[in-house]
Amino acid sequence: MNELDESYWHYFLMLESDFNATIRFVDLAEKNDSTFSIELSRQIICSCTEFETVAKKLCGLIAPTKPAGNISQYKEIILSKYPDLPRVPVYIDRYKRIIFPFSAWGANGERLEWWDAYQHVKHHRHQNFEEANVKNTLSALSALLILELYLYGTVYPTCDKRKIGTMLLRAPGMSEVLYCQPDEDLPGLLMKRP
């Protein structure tokens, strides 16, 4: 069996923490999606670089003999195992938002807007700085969360290694971020259950 350390998950949590700190200054309302900054430039580059690392690891588990060196190859391999990926949502409960970071890979098999933004910012920041915006950074971080969950779920198919504890983002199979699990109470405080 393949073993997987927690470094991938801890790195995701660090990136999410950075993004969460950013939204203290730029609210996550949709009207701010086009807001861009040097900090968001750093975050989209870091999130997408980690996305590549996790995608390669996941592809190696799914199809060890197939090449996985670019986004087209990641797409082909990952969708061969997880064809419903384009329909997987990420919830931002606090802001009542839902992101589908892989929706473009659905029926039409289009390009991922946030991935293209990352490539543009990485290679031609001086011309494409405005693509380092809230929407693209949030989508990249959301895509990374989904791949992390698939990675850990592939290596550990039982629930004993299920990932929880995010500050902002939630995907199917994760509990809501701001709420207690229904079977736990604070010591000395008995909550009424519905």
Side-chain angles (χ1 to χ4, degrees):
M1 176 180 187
N2 292 304
E3 289 293 321
L4 192 62
D5 68 24
E6 295 289 314
S7 65
Y8 300 99
W9 185 247
H10 292 158
Y11 197 79
F12 166 79
L13 292 175
M14 180 195 66
L15 293 169
E16 186 196 37
S17 177
D18 289 349
F19 186 77
N20 198 46
T22 302
I23 62 175
R24 289 176 42 218
F25 304 98
V26 179
D27 192 70
L28 204 49
E30 286 186 48
K31 64 184 174 184
N32 292 332
D33 278 357
S34 62
T35 301
F36 58 94
S37 72
I38 194 72
E39 174 60 19
L40 290 170
S41 173
R42 181 190 68 80
Q43 288 183 29
I44 195 170
I45 288 170
C46 289
S47 293
C48 289
T49 301
E50 184 66 2
F51 175 90
E52 287 185 279
T53 300
V54 172
K56 286 177 186 176
K57 183 77 171 168
L58 181 59
C59 288
L61 294 170
I62 295 169
T65 60
K66 285 192 171 185
N70 62 52
I71 193 73
S72 297
Q73 292 169 341
Y74 308 151
K75 174 185 170 184
E76 178 187 337
I77 293 168
I78 295 169
L79 289 180
S80 73
K81 173 81 172 169
Y82 302 112
D84 292 330
L85 180 67
R87 294 194 303 267
V88 176
V90 171
Y91 305 99
I92 305 99
D93 296 317
R94 188 179 349 159
Y95 292 91
K96 297 177 177 50
R97 291 184 70 172
I98 302 174
I99 305 290
F100 292 87
F102 294 103
S103 63
W105 281 359
N108 297 332
E110 296 173 19
R111 298 173 61 89
L112 300 171
E113 182 179 330
W114 57 267
W115 182 262
D116 287 345
Y118 156 63
Q119 292 294 324
H120 297 157
V121 170
K122 181 173 76 169
H123 295 294
H124 305 286
R125 186 174 311 133
H126 61 286
Q127 295 171 325
N128 301 293
F129 186 54
E130 68 280 353
E131 291 186 59
N133 60 42
V134 170
K135 179 183 177 188
N136 288 328
T137 305
L138 175 60
S139 294
L141 190 59
S142 297
L144 177 58
L145 171 63
I146 291 170
L147 272 202
E148 293 263 358
L149 296 173
Y150 275 113
L151 175 64
Y152 282 94
T154 299
V155 174
Y156 304 108
T158 61
C159 289
D160 62 336
K161 295 277 187 172
R162 181 169 284 174
K163 296 296 157 201
I164 58 169
T166 61
M167 296 170 54
L168 182 67
L169 306 177
R170 178 176 64 86
M174 299 176 77
S175 62
E176 290 190 43
V177 176
L178 297 177
Y179 301 99
C180 296
Q181 294 291 330
D183 62 344
E184 72 177 294
D185 288 319
L186 291 170
L189 180 65
L190 298 176
M191 302 295 290
K192 293 183 180 179
R193 307 272 184 241

